[in-house]
Amino acid sequence: MLEGKQDGHVFKLPKVILLAKNITNVELEKAKAAGFADTVIMKPMRASMAAACLQQVLGIGKKRQAGKDMLNGSPVLQGLLCGKKILVVDDNMAHQRVFAGALKKFGAAVECRESGKAALKLLQLPCCFYACFMDIQMPEMDGFEATHPIRMMESKANEQMNGGMDEDSGRKGWMDVSKPFEEENLYQAVAKFFKSTRSNCFT
Amino acid sequence: MDRNRLHNQVASMRRSLFDQGYLDDQFIQLEELQDDTNPNFVQEVVTLFYNDSTRLIQNIEQALNSRPIDFCKLDDYMHQFKGSSSSIGAKKVTNECTAFREYCNAENAEGCIRSFQQVKQEHAILKRKLEVYLQTVTSFSNSMSCMETILSYIAYTIISSSLYIENMDKYGKLFGTTPQTELGVDKCLTTL
């Protein structure tokens, strides 16, 4: 969670994770340039992927046993997500349901929305969501467009926290994870990603 | 026993769905998300898929029938369709969607039409197979519930009877037992 102060009020912004069925290089570059999301992961989403991704994005517990199924394990993640509000944004009902089900397994309180527009209403400050999983490819407003206002808010927060000097424009970089997907690959990719952007991490 | 037969049936149908390539690992994810708090999760997601996909099929039909064909729109619809099908692990359906999109990208109308027939066919086949499979799973679950209820009742009877026998002196003084009652309880326990 990123915390910041604006006019004396404390507000929190959720981590944003974009989902994609397949991402072209053009889209990936666009995403990287925009720096609008904390990470990108590929659909269909598995519970273990969601768990691994959240664990890394939220900066907790890098230790894990290789090959162990994370779905029923990861008490750290269970503890972290228990009761936390997570927003899932996907126009595909079946996928939305699977995703929400996976997160609920970890005790999260999940809300679902089918469009970027509807999601934005919930993501206005003060925001009560701990993290947001958003589909990159939706009609009307895609994941990039929807996260733009969120990141504008974050930039503003950064400016204020840094006393007016916005050193990195809220840029966190992107992580590309492609199919077929193995949990081990995710961890390696994410570890590498976080190593290179360590200075920009807010938790 | 009926239950065993049902169990074997469920296992065999499930194995066949995977072996014949109708389903992939993603379906296992669905199964793993089903538990006591979400006892019908798989059925719910499959239903959502078929609601979504039925609507998309209609849209695609319309788009294929219009002239000129809007390949962009077609691709959009199929993209959504493929997303849905891959969410439930519908392997063959997803593969046909991929083939369709290739024809779409090449703006090959004939190819799209032919390919779409395949998509619809696989979609219908899987729907039938899943309906039968999930129905069998439900029957098996229900039979398990029945058996669990019966076993619980028997366990309850044993426990309460044991308690009665242990405290028969006390109960005897309170309620007044007859030799027949004592014999009856004994017989019941022996039978169980």
Side-chain angles (χ1 to χ4, degrees), chain A residues 90-105:
Chain A
D90 198 323
D91 60 326
N92 184 312
M93 292 307 293
H95 194 259
Q96 198 191 88
R97 188 77 177 82
V98 172
F99 214 110
L103 292 170
K104 280 175 189 168
K105 262 298 210 220

mmCIF file of all heavy atoms in Angstrom, chain A residues 90-105:
data_model
loop_
_atom_site.group_PDB
_atom_site.id
_atom_site.type_symbol
_atom_site.label_atom_id
_atom_site.label_comp_id
_atom_site.label_asym_id
_atom_site.label_seq_id
_atom_site.Cartn_x
_atom_site.Cartn_y
_atom_site.Cartn_z
ATOM 1 N N ASP A 90 -12.901 -7.158 -14.449
ATOM 2 C CA ASP A 90 -12.814 -7.990 -15.660
ATOM 3 C C ASP A 90 -14.192 -8.068 -16.279
ATOM 4 O O ASP A 90 -15.172 -8.328 -15.579
ATOM 5 C CB ASP A 90 -12.314 -9.389 -15.287
ATOM 6 C CG ASP A 90 -11.781 -10.144 -16.486
ATOM 7 O OD1 ASP A 90 -12.344 -10.020 -17.595
ATOM 8 O OD2 ASP A 90 -10.795 -10.875 -16.316
ATOM 9 N N ASP A 91 -14.261 -7.862 -17.601
ATOM 10 C CA ASP A 91 -15.567 -7.899 -18.245
ATOM 11 C C ASP A 91 -16.037 -9.332 -18.478
ATOM 12 O O ASP A 91 -17.178 -9.566 -18.846
ATOM 13 C CB ASP A 91 -15.534 -7.134 -19.575
ATOM 14 C CG ASP A 91 -14.526 -7.740 -20.550
ATOM 15 O OD1 ASP A 91 -13.480 -8.248 -20.106
ATOM 16 O OD2 ASP A 91 -14.786 -7.702 -21.768
ATOM 17 N N ASN A 92 -15.142 -10.277 -18.296
ATOM 18 C CA ASN A 92 -15.452 -11.682 -18.508
ATOM 19 C C ASN A 92 -15.927 -12.312 -17.199
ATOM 20 O O ASN A 92 -15.147 -12.451 -16.254
ATOM 21 C CB ASN A 92 -14.182 -12.380 -19.019
ATOM 22 C CG ASN A 92 -14.415 -13.817 -19.360
ATOM 23 O OD1 ASN A 92 -15.004 -14.564 -18.590
ATOM 24 N ND2 ASN A 92 -13.970 -14.224 -20.524
ATOM 25 N N MET A 93 -17.224 -12.664 -17.146
ATOM 26 C CA MET A 93 -17.828 -13.100 -15.885
ATOM 27 C C MET A 93 -17.208 -14.375 -15.331
ATOM 28 O O MET A 93 -17.017 -14.511 -14.127
ATOM 29 C CB MET A 93 -19.339 -13.314 -16.065
ATOM 30 C CG MET A 93 -20.111 -12.049 -16.317
ATOM 31 S SD MET A 93 -19.780 -10.790 -15.075
ATOM 32 C CE MET A 93 -20.491 -11.542 -13.639
ATOM 33 N N ALA A 94 -16.923 -15.320 -16.231
ATOM 34 C CA ALA A 94 -16.351 -16.583 -15.774
ATOM 35 C C ALA A 94 -14.984 -16.334 -15.144
ATOM 36 O O ALA A 94 -14.673 -16.839 -14.061
ATOM 37 C CB ALA A 94 -16.229 -17.563 -16.937
ATOM 38 N N HIS A 95 -14.199 -15.536 -15.814
ATOM 39 C CA HIS A 95 -12.854 -15.265 -15.300
ATOM 40 C C HIS A 95 -12.902 -14.486 -13.995
ATOM 41 O O HIS A 95 -12.144 -14.738 -13.062
ATOM 42 C CB HIS A 95 -12.039 -14.494 -16.332
ATOM 43 C CG HIS A 95 -10.587 -14.486 -16.010
ATOM 44 N ND1 HIS A 95 -9.962 -13.398 -15.432
ATOM 45 C CD2 HIS A 95 -9.640 -15.435 -16.116
ATOM 46 C CE1 HIS A 95 -8.686 -13.702 -15.219
ATOM 47 N NE2 HIS A 95 -8.464 -14.916 -15.629
ATOM 48 N N GLN A 96 -13.822 -13.540 -13.966
ATOM 49 C CA GLN A 96 -14.001 -12.728 -12.752
ATOM 50 C C GLN A 96 -14.298 -13.632 -11.559
ATOM 51 O O GLN A 96 -13.748 -13.482 -10.471
ATOM 52 C CB GLN A 96 -15.173 -11.785 -13.008
ATOM 53 C CG GLN A 96 -15.265 -10.602 -12.075
ATOM 54 C CD GLN A 96 -16.606 -9.910 -12.246
ATOM 55 O OE1 GLN A 96 -17.586 -10.269 -11.601
ATOM 56 N NE2 GLN A 96 -16.658 -8.899 -13.096
ATOM 57 N N ARG A 97 -15.177 -14.589 -11.788
ATOM 58 C CA ARG A 97 -15.622 -15.502 -10.732
ATOM 59 C C ARG A 97 -14.465 -16.382 -10.238
ATOM 60 O O ARG A 97 -14.308 -16.615 -9.048
ATOM 61 C CB ARG A 97 -16.763 -16.359 -11.288
ATOM 62 C CG ARG A 97 -17.468 -17.237 -10.290
ATOM 63 C CD ARG A 97 -18.431 -16.451 -9.419
ATOM 64 N NE ARG A 97 -19.157 -17.338 -8.520
ATOM 65 C CZ ARG A 97 -18.676 -17.789 -7.367
ATOM 66 N NH1 ARG A 97 -17.493 -17.422 -6.954
ATOM 67 N NH2 ARG A 97 -19.377 -18.609 -6.635
ATOM 68 N N VAL A 98 -13.674 -16.861 -11.196
ATOM 69 C CA VAL A 98 -12.536 -17.724 -10.842
ATOM 70 C C VAL A 98 -11.530 -16.931 -10.022
ATOM 71 O O VAL A 98 -11.025 -17.382 -8.996
ATOM 72 C CB VAL A 98 -11.869 -18.290 -12.115
ATOM 73 C CG1 VAL A 98 -10.572 -19.014 -11.780
ATOM 74 C CG2 VAL A 98 -12.808 -19.239 -12.837
ATOM 75 N N PHE A 99 -11.261 -15.745 -10.486
ATOM 76 C CA PHE A 99 -10.300 -14.884 -9.829
ATOM 77 C C PHE A 99 -10.731 -14.553 -8.417
ATOM 78 O O PHE A 99 -9.960 -14.659 -7.457
ATOM 79 C CB PHE A 99 -10.187 -13.597 -10.637
ATOM 80 C CG PHE A 99 -8.832 -13.038 -10.605
ATOM 81 C CD1 PHE A 99 -8.050 -13.051 -11.733
ATOM 82 C CD2 PHE A 99 -8.314 -12.517 -9.439
ATOM 83 C CE1 PHE A 99 -6.787 -12.558 -11.700
ATOM 84 C CE2 PHE A 99 -7.041 -12.020 -9.399
ATOM 85 C CZ PHE A 99 -6.277 -12.034 -10.542
ATOM 86 N N ALA A 100 -11.986 -14.112 -8.304
ATOM 87 C CA ALA A 100 -12.519 -13.739 -6.996
ATOM 88 C C ALA A 100 -12.475 -14.939 -6.052
ATOM 89 O O ALA A 100 -12.120 -14.809 -4.881
ATOM 90 C CB ALA A 100 -13.944 -13.213 -7.141
ATOM 91 N N GLY A 101 -12.817 -16.112 -6.595
ATOM 92 C CA GLY A 101 -12.794 -17.337 -5.805
ATOM 93 C C GLY A 101 -11.406 -17.630 -5.263
ATOM 94 O O GLY A 101 -11.233 -17.988 -4.096
ATOM 95 N N ALA A 102 -10.398 -17.433 -6.133
ATOM 96 C CA ALA A 102 -9.014 -17.681 -5.732
ATOM 97 C C ALA A 102 -8.597 -16.744 -4.603
ATOM 98 O O ALA A 102 -7.986 -17.151 -3.617
ATOM 99 C CB ALA A 102 -8.091 -17.506 -6.930
ATOM 100 N N LEU A 103 -8.957 -15.481 -4.724
ATOM 101 C CA LEU A 103 -8.579 -14.495 -3.702
ATOM 102 C C LEU A 103 -9.331 -14.730 -2.401
ATOM 103 O O LEU A 103 -8.791 -14.543 -1.315
ATOM 104 C CB LEU A 103 -8.825 -13.079 -4.222
ATOM 105 C CG LEU A 103 -7.904 -12.653 -5.370
ATOM 106 C CD1 LEU A 103 -8.383 -11.343 -5.968
ATOM 107 C CD2 LEU A 103 -6.474 -12.505 -4.897
ATOM 108 N N LYS A 104 -10.577 -15.151 -2.533
ATOM 109 C CA LYS A 104 -11.375 -15.418 -1.327
ATOM 110 C C LYS A 104 -10.787 -16.568 -0.532
ATOM 111 O O LYS A 104 -10.881 -16.614 0.685
ATOM 112 C CB LYS A 104 -12.826 -15.732 -1.698
ATOM 113 C CG LYS A 104 -13.638 -14.495 -1.988
ATOM 114 C CD LYS A 104 -15.040 -14.846 -2.474
ATOM 115 C CE LYS A 104 -15.753 -13.614 -2.973
ATOM 116 N NZ LYS A 104 -16.981 -13.909 -3.704
ATOM 117 N N LYS A 105 -10.145 -17.499 -1.271
ATOM 118 C CA LYS A 105 -9.486 -18.619 -0.602
ATOM 119 C C LYS A 105 -8.458 -18.124 0.403
ATOM 120 O O LYS A 105 -8.169 -18.756 1.399
ATOM 121 C CB LYS A 105 -8.716 -19.469 -1.611
ATOM 122 C CG LYS A 105 -9.387 -20.716 -2.140
ATOM 123 C CD LYS A 105 -9.721 -21.760 -1.127
ATOM 124 C CE LYS A 105 -9.692 -23.137 -1.732
ATOM 125 N NZ LYS A 105 -10.743 -24.001 -1.280
#
